[in-house]
């Protein structure tokens, strides 16, 4: 079964990998978890580690020559490898540890295909690097039809990441954005504390997502969601309006140019 994965294209490898991780996350949900301290109030659990191992099993079987950078296991293979997979096995560990199901499993080939799984809805959001889809498990456990993702601002819901650190303070603080008169007139804030929210922007479940930070394009937490949103046609920049990458800082991911422009003007107005 595992050997057959060698014939998959990169997008299907990403899908198979997040599904394996999602299965490990579901299987351990609701248990008492061993915590692995990372400092500054952050931690991993045995579920994070198990999910990452399940993901790596898929990637190793399908792409044994590729490098991998996992949140828990670190770098395996050359850090400057042309083909490198970025793995976040359980995004939303704090949610998961207290019995909250708002979590994501993220896998991305750097500058290529990527997938994001919602372990509890059965949805897998994925891209081949050009177009983005969602695949839902059928009622018999098999694959449902793939549906192309279409972003929209109709919900008016904007997820804002309020987790520290705050590298752009005092120039930009997400909490200030929430108090902007224009924001409360036009949007409604949400805080889910997982990059599953990026997949929701691509899918039209959210109008936008905003977070502070440095260069997030190569982050294991954000790479898959960024790739998904770009392929779906979202507007993706740093909070300073610069293209993501070394020039950008943090993220504004918006369903359309109007929403992006409104959020950027609010951020600049508060800076």
């Amino acid at each position: 079964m595992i050997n057959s994965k060698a014939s998959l294209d990169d997008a299907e490898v990403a899908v198979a990998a997040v599904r394996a991780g999602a299965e490990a996350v579901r299987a351990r949900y609701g248990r008492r978890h061993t915590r692995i301290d990372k400092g500054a109030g952050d931690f991993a659990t045995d579920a994070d580690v198990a999910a990452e191992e399940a993901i790596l099993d898929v990637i190793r079987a399908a792409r044994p020559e590729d490098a991998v950078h996992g949140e828990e296991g670190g770098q395996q293979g050359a850090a400057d490898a042309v083909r490198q997979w970025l793995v976040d096995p359980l995004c939303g560990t704090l949610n998961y540890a207290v019995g909250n199901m708002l979590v994501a499993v993220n896998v991305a080939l750097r500058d290529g295909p990527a997938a994001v799984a919602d372990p509890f809805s059965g949805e897998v959001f994925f891209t081949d690097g050009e177009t983005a889809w969602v695949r839902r498990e059928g009622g018999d456990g098999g694959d449902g039809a793939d549906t192309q993702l279409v972003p929209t601002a109709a919900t008016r819901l904007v997820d804002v990441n309020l987790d520290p650190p705050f590298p752009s303070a005092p120039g930009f603080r997400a909490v200030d954005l929430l108090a902007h008169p224009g924001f409360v007139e036009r949007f409604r804030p949400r805080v889910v504390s997982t990059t599953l929210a990026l997949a929701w922007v691509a899918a039209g479940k959210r109008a936008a997502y905003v977070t502070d930070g440095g260069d997030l394009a190569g982050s294991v937490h954000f790479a898959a969601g960024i790739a998904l949103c770009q392929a779906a046609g979202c507007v993706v920049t740093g909070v300073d309006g610069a293209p993501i990458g070394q020039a950008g800082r943090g993220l504004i991911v918006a369903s359309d140019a109007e929403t992006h422009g409104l959020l950027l003007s609010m951020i600049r107005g508060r800076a």
Side-chain angles (χ1 to χ4, degrees), residues 11 26 32 64 72 85 117 121 156 169 193 196 203 219 235 244 247-248 251:
R26 283 195 303 272
R32 183 183 295 275
E72 310 309 333
W85 295 87
S121 73
R156 300 173 62 200
S193 299
L196 182 61
S219 164
V235 181
I244 58 168
L251 280 176

Side-chain angles (χ1 to χ4, degrees), residues 4-262:
S4 69
K5 290 184 172 62
S7 63
L8 299 177
D9 63 26
D10 287 333
E12 290 296 345
V13 171
V15 169
V18 295
R19 278 184 154 176
E23 183 176 351
V25 168
R26 283 195 303 272
R28 289 161 178 78
Y29 180 73
R31 299 182 185 178
R32 183 183 295 275
H33 297 288
T34 301
R35 295 193 179 194
I36 304 160
D37 183 41
K38 293 184 175 183
D42 193 15
F43 61 89
T45 71
D46 52 297
D48 296 71
V49 175
E52 184 162 305
E53 279 302 314
I55 290 167
L56 294 183
D57 284 347
V58 172
I59 295 174
R60 287 171 183 146
R63 301 292 187 269
E65 303 301 319
D66 290 359
V68 178
H69 183 80
E71 182 182 9
E72 310 309 333
Q75 184 68 39
Q76 299 181 38
D80 60 352
V82 174
R83 290 179 57 86
Q84 178 166 221
W85 295 87
L86 303 172
V87 176
D88 181 1
L90 178 49
C91 186
T93 300
L94 277 70
N95 286 347
Y96 183 82
V98 297
N100 187 314
M101 293 182 177
L102 290 176
V103 301
V105 178
N106 300 315
V107 173
L109 179 63
R110 187 187 292 275
D111 300 321
V116 176
D118 180 337
F120 299 103
S121 73
E123 294 173 310
V124 176
F125 307 89
F126 67 102
T127 175
D128 59 1
E130 296 182 0
T131 309
W133 300 271
V134 61
R135 179 177 298 172
R136 297 176 176 87
E137 291 186 356
D140 59 357
D143 291 341
D146 294 344
T147 304
Q148 188 168 338
L149 298 181
V150 180
T152 173
T155 68
R156 300 173 62 200
L157 301 177
V158 176
D159 266 299
V160 181
N161 181 14
L162 300 180
D163 285 345
F166 309 111
S168 299
F172 167 74
R173 297 192 311 165
V175 68
D176 292 337
L177 178 63
L178 301 184
H180 191 291
F183 186 93
V184 296
E185 289 174 5
R186 185 64 182 260
F187 303 113
R188 291 293 178 268
R190 292 294 183 271
V191 181
V192 298
S193 299
T194 168
T195 54
L196 182 61
L198 284 169
W200 289 349
V201 179
K205 298 181 179 183
R206 293 288 191 268
Y209 174 87
V210 180
T211 185
D212 196 359
D215 172 12
L216 301 180
S219 164
V220 295
H221 305 291
F222 290 94
I226 289 172
L228 193 70
C229 289
Q230 289 176 322
C234 300
V235 181
V236 183
T237 72
V239 293
D240 49 5
I244 58 168
Q246 294 182 355
R249 185 179 82 245
L251 280 176
I252 302 176
V253 178
S255 56
D256 55 35
E258 180 184 5
T259 301
H260 180 271
L262 284 168

